[in-house]
Amino acid sequence: MDSSIKHLHFRSNFFPSIVNHLTTTTFRRKPPLLSVINHPLMAMTTNGLSSKIIRSFLRRVNSSSPSTTTTATQRFRLAQRTTINTTTTTIFPPPPSSPPSPAAAAEVSRDTIFDFEDTKGLFSSVTTGKLLRSAANLNLAAVEPAVDLGVWVMRSRLMHVGILREIVLGVIKHTSYEHFVAGSDTGEAGRTVKRLWESGLRGMLDYGLEHAVDNESCDKNAREFIETVESTQVLPLSSVSFVVVKITAICPVSLLKRVSDLLRWEYKNPSSMNLPWKLKTLPIFSESSPFYHTLQKPDPLTQQEEHDLELAHQRLINICNKSIECNVPVVIDAEDTSIQPGIDYFTYSAAVMYNRGEKPQIFGTIQAYLKDAGERLFETKRAADKMGLPVGFKLVRGAYMWSESQLANSIGVESPIHDSIDETHDCYNGCASFMLDEVANGPGGLILATHNLESAKLAAQKARELGIGKDSEKLEFASLYGMSEAMTFGLRNAGFGVSKYLPFGPVDQIMPYLLRRAEENKGLLSSSNLDRQLMMKELKRRMKAYVGQGLMDTESRLKSEAGSIVKLN
């Protein structure tokens, strides 16, 4: 298909086709991966909590009972008709009245991705102790008043009192931090990777660095990223799927804002702007991208700013060189739209330099809750194809809904975010479908970072139809460490490559980062009922099996003793 026709077809049919074919969904929005955790500080639940918190917690625990049928669970038992796979599929087919034919059984096996009835197989690699801790942490995390209390404590003056600060951080370290964070350093994160590898999963290492403000902190952060890449060499081969890099950690945020403004202005006014520092890159904008951040022509970069930009590029080059040496690809995180053009500029200029052959070395991130996400994805992929470059994307939903909408409303412009959650779902599923088609027939790679079970199911069905499995190395599902365990193990059991996003770092260093994520993703953990329900079901099954085995052993022992008495008599 001619590229111009293909583009027209994409723009005219991409999202309408989704709307026309996608059945009305009732599931709640699940925020993406690569904003780290709705990390509640539920460790602060003490005897002094209000009765409201306690009642809320008890309701959460009771709702985890497998006998309680939730709307979400019912929904996943229904057949779905989708744009990714337009055949009707049933995740939990009802028992047939008569034995199915071999052909029918094969069809059910092909379409079924998740088997949540078999909790023994689902959690086979999880110890009972780990399962107990996970269930307890998720139940506590679902109590939103506890989350609010934890955030308040962490931002209060109590954290300036030495002994109180140590107590709070100590409690957090052995509860929520232990559940959602991979460790304090590369050594602890490496041990987490090994445990995941033994369970059939891989790790995406993400050192929890703060935004940098000067060259000194950028240099330090770049060294931390390089050490993270180097740490993969003592781990099992291929146990680390990606190392995550934040451009905001190696380039001062103020400079990223300046670069983004200049790139926006150049796109809208190409004849009035010359950017002598600009490297060869891939498309960063589409016609529907938000440009209201740059309302007037920005001044050119100063000599010092150009020097600082060159230093930032060199830091990224050093990281990429090390990643090639260690054979570990890099995925670059996304941020808010005020600085995302600058981040994409770094990402795509590095992709032009390093991506060769069939498998990308540098992956960018597309946030599907943005209205321009589909167009930018297509434009970038088309340009990469023309240049003969493999291009890789991590697809997420997005993490800055409140701040993006707040800024747009404050200046009276249209929000860059989709007007409804259904539109975001459509965009995510459509982008996933498009990229699966692309990588199935050519070079490239796709990371589907999601906690949304429906999106995972649809993509897995299509990938299976296209023959994209674990061995192809073109598709990786990903979710946050400590989250969406049922989906994670279900995809693993279905034969797909699955990674857990592993933030790591010292408690006091990583907590500010996790607090921001908690505010951005509030409510994510409170909707994790499926994990809690299935964990409780498996714990009850194991308890019954343990008690049953004990009774059998006792009965066997008594029979043996009785037999001995008979022989003696």
Side-chain angles (χ1 to χ4, degrees):
M1 182 184 293
D2 179 78
S3 61
S4 60
I5 298 176
K6 183 178 180 182
H7 187 199
L8 179 62
H9 175 76
F10 178 86
R11 295 190 62 177
S12 61
N13 295 322
F14 185 62
F15 295 109
S17 66
I18 297 171
V19 176
N20 289 337
H21 291 286
L22 189 65
T23 53
T24 302
T25 57
T26 59
F27 52 87
R28 297 171 64 184
R29 178 180 183 270
K30 301 289 192 297
L33 169 93
L34 279 255
S35 66
V36 137
I37 307 157
N38 174 12
H39 190 287
L41 305 181
M42 56 277 199
M44 262 61 78
T45 54
T46 67
N47 292 333
L49 284 180
S50 67
S51 59
K52 176 182 177 183
I53 295 178
I54 297 173
R55 289 197 301 270
S56 179
F57 169 66
L58 291 175
R59 284 197 300 271
R60 294 291 182 184
V61 174
N62 291 334
S63 71
S64 297
S65 170
S67 63
T68 303
T69 304
T70 64
T71 302
T73 304
Q74 292 172 341
R75 180 176 59 254
F76 297 133
R77 294 174 181 268
L78 300 177
Q80 300 291 331
R81 182 173 297 274
T82 73
T83 56
I84 291 187
N85 178 4
T86 55
T87 61
T88 301
T89 64
T90 305
I91 293 183
F92 295 102
S97 56
S98 59
S101 66
E107 181 68 15
V108 170
S109 175
R110 182 185 70 81
D111 280 345
T112 300
I113 300 298
F114 300 110
D115 181 7
F116 294 146
E117 296 294 340
D118 179 19
T119 57
K120 180 180 180 180
L122 198 64
F123 296 108
S124 60
S125 61
V126 184
T127 65
T128 300
K130 173 66 174 174
L131 205 58
L132 280 167
R133 290 193 299 273
S134 296
N137 275 308
L138 287 176
N139 274 299
L140 285 169
V143 183
E144 287 199 22
V147 178
D148 294 335
L149 176 64
V151 171
W152 178 83
V153 169
M154 285 298 295
R155 290 194 168 147
S156 71
R157 294 182 179 180
L158 294 175
M159 297 305 293
H160 298 294
V161 180
I163 188 169
L164 291 178
R165 175 183 173 84
E166 292 304 315
I167 291 173
V168 171
L169 291 180
V171 172
I172 291 172
K173 180 175 177 61
H174 295 291
T175 52
S176 54
Y177 176 91
E178 183 181 81
H179 182 79
F180 296 109
V181 180
S184 61
D185 53 29
T186 54
E188 291 186 2
R191 288 191 283 276
T192 301
V193 168
K194 289 178 181 178
R195 289 195 294 270
L196 291 174
W197 183 245
E198 292 168 357
S199 300
L201 306 173
R202 302 206 290 173
M204 298 174 65
L205 290 176
D206 171 38
Y207 192 64
L209 297 169
E210 288 293 290
H211 288 185
V213 296
D214 54 37
N215 284 323
E216 183 179 358
S217 58
C218 288
D219 287 338
K220 180 179 181 297
N221 292 342
R223 289 193 296 271
E224 297 284 3
F225 284 130
I226 289 174
E227 289 177 10
T228 301
V229 175
E230 290 174 336
S231 72
T232 65
Q233 299 307 285
V234 298
L235 298 174
L237 186 65
S238 299
S239 60
V240 175
S241 55
F242 297 91
V243 167
V244 180
V245 171
K246 297 177 181 63
I247 299 300
T248 51
I250 61 173
C251 179
V253 175
S254 58
L255 180 57
L256 273 177
K257 180 68 168 61
R258 291 273 288 127
V259 170
S260 297
D261 283 338
L262 288 162
L263 290 169
R264 273 188 287 261
W265 193 267
E266 181 206 37
Y267 181 84
K268 297 294 287 185
N269 307 274
S271 61
S272 67
M273 181 62 66
N274 176 39
L275 306 178
W277 44 264
K278 186 178 178 182
L279 301 174
K280 190 174 185 180
T281 186
L282 296 170
I284 294 170
F285 303 102
S286 73
E287 287 300 317
S288 59
S289 294
F291 294 95
Y292 57 80
H293 297 283
T294 310
L295 299 177
Q296 59 185 8
K297 184 177 180 179
D299 294 328
L301 294 183
T302 65
Q303 186 175 354
Q304 182 61 49
E305 286 175 326
E306 287 195 30
H307 174 69
D308 291 346
L309 182 61
E310 185 178 347
L311 290 177
H313 270 293
Q314 188 58 52
R315 295 182 192 108
L316 182 58
I317 287 172
N318 293 340
I319 295 168
C320 292
N321 287 339
K322 182 59 67 173
S323 75
I324 290 177
E325 177 186 329
C326 297
N327 194 30
V328 181
V330 166
V331 59
I332 295 177
D333 265 348
E335 302 279 350
D336 63 85
T337 57
S338 68
I339 57 175
Q340 189 58 40
I343 293 171
D344 285 339
Y345 167 67
F346 274 89
T347 303
Y348 296 146
S349 61
V352 169
M353 293 176 63
Y354 290 98
N355 287 1
R356 297 289 183 271
E358 291 287 315
K359 187 178 177 181
Q361 185 70 19
I362 311 298
F363 282 65
T365 299
I366 295 289
Q367 300 185 95
Y369 75 164
L370 295 173
K371 294 175 181 176
D372 69 335
E375 283 186 284
R376 285 192 295 111
L377 176 70
F378 177 80
E379 293 289 353
T380 304
K381 182 65 172 69
R382 183 178 67 167
D385 289 344
K386 287 182 177 180
M387 297 170 65
L389 299 176
V391 65
F393 296 103
K394 179 185 69 177
L395 184 61
V396 302
R397 274 177 169 77
Y400 300 91
M401 177 174 289
W402 183 86
S403 58
E404 294 282 11
S405 298
Q406 183 84 353
L407 175 60
N409 290 337
S410 68
I411 57 178
V413 298
E414 181 182 354
S415 172
I417 303 213
H418 287 299
D419 297 329
S420 70
I421 186 58
D422 286 337
E423 290 179 358
T424 297
H425 292 324
D426 293 346
C427 182
Y428 188 97
N429 294 337
C431 288
S433 179
F434 169 74
M435 278 303 298
L436 286 171
D437 281 328
E438 292 294 305
V439 300
N441 301 312
L446 176 63
I447 305 167
L448 289 176
T450 183
H451 299 125
N452 188 296
L453 190 61
E454 189 67 11
S455 289
K457 184 198 73 172
L458 300 181
Q461 287 174 228
K462 176 154 190 174
R464 183 175 285 178
E465 292 173 356
L466 294 171
I468 305 174
K470 190 173 183 178
D471 295 337
S472 73
E473 297 186 343
K474 291 187 173 184
L475 170 65
E476 190 82 7
F477 287 94
S479 59
L480 302 176
Y481 183 59
M483 291 291 296
S484 299
E485 303 294 67
M487 184 187 79
T488 296
F489 293 128
L491 289 167
R492 175 204 62 185
N493 292 350
F496 293 99
V498 188
S499 289
K500 299 301 283 186
Y501 188 93
L502 303 177
F504 70 95
V507 181
D508 56 345
Q509 176 179 306
I510 205 169
M511 285 312 300
Y513 173 68
L514 295 175
L515 279 172
R516 289 200 304 273
R517 301 291 84 82
E519 292 183 332
E520 290 159 3
N521 296 332
K522 195 171 183 179
L524 172 60
L525 287 171
S526 64
S527 61
S528 62
N529 186 67
L530 180 64
D531 272 354
R532 301 197 306 273
Q533 180 183 359
L534 294 176
M535 286 178 181
M536 294 302 294
K537 180 179 178 181
E538 174 58 12
L539 285 169
K540 289 184 177 181
R541 186 202 66 78
R542 293 186 186 187
M543 181 61 69
K544 288 180 180 178
Y546 177 78
V547 172
Q549 184 63 45
L551 292 174
M552 290 176 62
D553 290 345
T554 301
E555 182 181 4
S556 176
R557 179 174 56 81
L558 290 174
K559 286 181 178 180
S560 177
E561 291 175 354
S564 298
I565 293 172
V566 171
K567 288 180 180 179
L568 288 174
N569 292 334

